[in-house]
């Protein structure tokens, strides 16, 4: 079968790989769609933590189930996606109901080879029913689930102001599920076209450019002097993460969904006097996947809004680098197979 391998930062190579065969507890999926995410882009750039080369990227996936062992209720031929975070089931995190941060976690396309292939073998326990959704929608369930998980970590309450920093695909998903939870969403980014997308496509009521000289004043005005009670970072930018500590209301929760390699720097007195809460949010759980699929089926989220670029599998190698350029306006690139 054809595969696409990121051999070193900045380099993709098409190679012939071995088509997976039947194995106990494993399922084989014929890949139909591959969504390109920030992890893929960072891996290509050479800036992704927990990463080694060569690697087959891809974990936002949907396709046709070819066969599965130990997957009651799943039938060959049905359209599926899967949870691409493979956990051990025995560590403290798994025993505590947090398989998304398993101490031995292997993420498809990050720690192990992923879905830029024609056929992929995954643990049968990771399968998720398509529920009648299109392959485009199913390929977007995973990134939306990351957003849904961050919102659940924040415990967003109806009516409270939620500042989402970063209007990339993950940030947009956070905005959607913060809205669904009843939050009053504020989008922040340095890219005006992204902020316009938030306003025009997602109907986010408030937007702030992070480069403006009066960011804090704008936030005070929007929140009637209180500042946001929830701040969620989706940038993975050290500068953005550090800056956002100053945007928290007293008693606020700050959730880090974005990931970067450096050390966070915070004024302890400023953080302490707020009795603030700092949390990380890693990956997502089956509960989050189910929440996303339910929201998609109810029409609360329109997945087609996100897809701005489409290519065939054979075009990825030549096109991928262009998706790193903000001038090209990529929100979500979708790769089509078969």
């Amino acid at each position: 079968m054809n595969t696409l391998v990121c051999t070193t930062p900045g380099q993709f190579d098409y190679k012939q790989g071995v088509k997976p065969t039947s194995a106990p507890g494993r399922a084989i999926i014929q890949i139909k769609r591959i969504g390109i995410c920030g992890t893929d882009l960072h891996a290509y750039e050479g800036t992704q933590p927990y990463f080694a080369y060569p690697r087959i990227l891809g974990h936002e996936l949907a396709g046709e189930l070819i066969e599965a062992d130990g997957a009651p209720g799943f039938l060959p031929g049905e359209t599926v996606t899967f949870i691409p975070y493979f956990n051990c089931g025995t560590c403290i995190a798994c025993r505590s109901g947090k398989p998304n941060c398993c101490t031995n976690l292997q993420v498809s396309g990050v720690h192990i080879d992923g879905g830029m292939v024609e056929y992929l073998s995954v643990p049968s326990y990771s399968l998720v029913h398509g529920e009648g959704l299109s392959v485009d929608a199913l390929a977007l369930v995973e990134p939306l689930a990351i957003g849904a998980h961050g919102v659940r970590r924040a415990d967003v309450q109806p009516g409270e102001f939620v500042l989402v920093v970063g209007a990339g695909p993950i940030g947009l998903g956070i905005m959607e599920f913060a809205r669904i939870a009843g939050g009053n969403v504020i989008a922040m980014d340095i890219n005006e076209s992204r902020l316009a997308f938030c306003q025009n496509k997602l109907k986010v009521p408030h937007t702030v450019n992070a480069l403006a000289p009066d960011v804090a004043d704008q936030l005070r005005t929007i929140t009637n002097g209180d500042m946001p009670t929830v701040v969620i970072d989706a940038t993975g930018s050290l500068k953005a993460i550090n800056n956002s500590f100053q945007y928290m209301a007293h008693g606020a929760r700050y959730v880090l969904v974005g990931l970067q390699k450096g050390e966070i720097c915070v004024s302890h007195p400023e953080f302490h006097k707020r009795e603030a809460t700092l949390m990380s949010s890693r990956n997502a759980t089956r509960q989050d996947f189910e929440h996303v699929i339910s929201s998609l089926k109810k029409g609360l989220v329109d997945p087609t809004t996100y897809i701005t670029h489409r290519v065939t599998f054979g075009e990825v190698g030549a096109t991928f680098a262009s998706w790193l350029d903000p001038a090209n306006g990529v929100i979500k690139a979708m790769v089509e197979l078969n």
Side-chain angles (χ1 to χ4, degrees):
M1 66 174 179
N2 292 316
T3 71
L4 181 58
V5 184
C6 187
T7 49
T8 61
Q11 180 65 44
F12 273 122
D13 291 307
Y14 286 95
K15 296 185 177 182
Q16 283 295 301
V18 178
K19 183 178 177 180
T21 56
S22 303
R26 306 288 296 187
I28 298 174
I29 301 172
Q30 183 178 7
I31 302 300
K32 301 289 187 180
R33 293 291 186 277
I34 307 166
I36 304 300
C37 77
T39 299
D40 301 323
L41 297 171
H42 296 153
Y44 183 79
E45 287 180 312
T47 59
Q48 176 63 30
Y50 318 131
F51 204 83
Y53 303 86
R55 179 66 69 224
I56 298 175
L57 306 180
H59 60 264
E60 299 180 0
L61 304 164
E64 178 185 338
L65 183 63
I66 301 302
E67 59 178 81
D69 175 76
F74 286 88
L75 298 173
E78 73 171 285
T79 303
V80 296
T81 185
F82 69 98
I83 302 171
Y85 331 118
F86 307 142
N87 61 294
C88 71
T90 58
C91 73
I92 179 61
C94 291
R95 298 197 311 272
S96 302
K98 295 178 177 287
N100 55 301
C101 60
C102 167
T103 60
N104 304 299
L105 197 69
Q106 291 188 309
V107 179
S108 178
V110 179
H111 307 98
I112 59 175
D113 284 341
M116 289 194 179
V117 296
E118 291 183 287
Y119 295 86
L120 183 67
S121 173
V122 302
S124 293
Y125 68 74
S126 69
L127 291 173
V128 177
H129 289 290
E131 300 284 350
L133 296 175
S134 69
V135 284
D136 282 343
L138 285 175
L140 287 167
V141 168
E142 190 273 341
L144 289 171
I146 289 177
H149 186 71
V151 169
R152 184 156 64 92
R153 288 280 286 157
D155 191 24
V156 172
Q157 298 299 306
E160 68 178 331
F161 285 98
V162 181
L163 173 62
V164 181
V165 186
I170 298 298
L172 297 175
I174 293 169
M175 294 174 203
E176 296 264 58
F177 285 93
R179 168 184 57 78
I180 290 170
N184 196 345
V185 179
I186 308 166
M188 181 180 288
D189 202 283
I190 61 174
N191 186 320
E192 282 293 344
S193 65
R194 287 282 178 97
L195 293 176
F197 184 93
C198 293
Q199 284 184 314
N200 299 330
K201 298 294 186 180
L202 302 190
K203 307 304 179 185
V204 173
H206 312 285
T207 60
V208 176
N209 191 311
L211 298 178
D214 60 343
V215 169
D217 289 339
Q218 289 188 55
L219 291 173
R220 286 191 191 94
T221 298
I222 292 168
T223 61
N224 304 309
D226 291 333
M227 301 299 279
T229 49
V230 174
V231 178
I232 306 179
D233 177 81
T235 67
S237 160
L238 183 58
K239 181 178 180 181
I241 290 169
N242 286 339
N243 282 345
S244 293
F245 280 98
Q246 65 185 302
Y247 305 143
M248 301 172 67
H250 281 238
R253 292 96 71 201
Y254 187 6
V255 181
L256 302 179
V257 177
L259 176 65
Q260 50 78 44
K261 290 183 175 182
E263 296 181 353
I264 296 169
C265 182
V266 56
S267 166
H268 190 177
E270 289 296 320
F271 187 78
H272 192 90
K273 76 181 184 182
R274 286 168 168 79
E275 197 178 56
T277 301
L278 177 64
M279 292 176 277
S280 60
S281 178
R282 188 180 185 194
N283 301 322
T285 66
R286 183 170 290 274
Q287 178 181 346
D288 302 309
F289 274 68
E290 291 172 350
H291 179 36
V292 169
I293 289 174
S294 174
S295 298
L296 290 169
K297 290 178 66 177
K298 292 175 182 176
L300 298 176
V301 179
D302 180 2
T304 62
T305 302
Y306 295 84
I307 302 171
T308 55
H309 294 65
R310 290 182 182 273
V311 297
T312 65
F313 187 59
E315 294 171 328
V316 178
T319 309
F320 196 95
S322 68
W323 297 333
L324 294 163
D325 186 350
N328 289 324
V330 179
I331 299 295
K332 177 61 65 177
M334 188 65 70
V335 181
E336 300 181 348
L337 290 83
N338 306 306

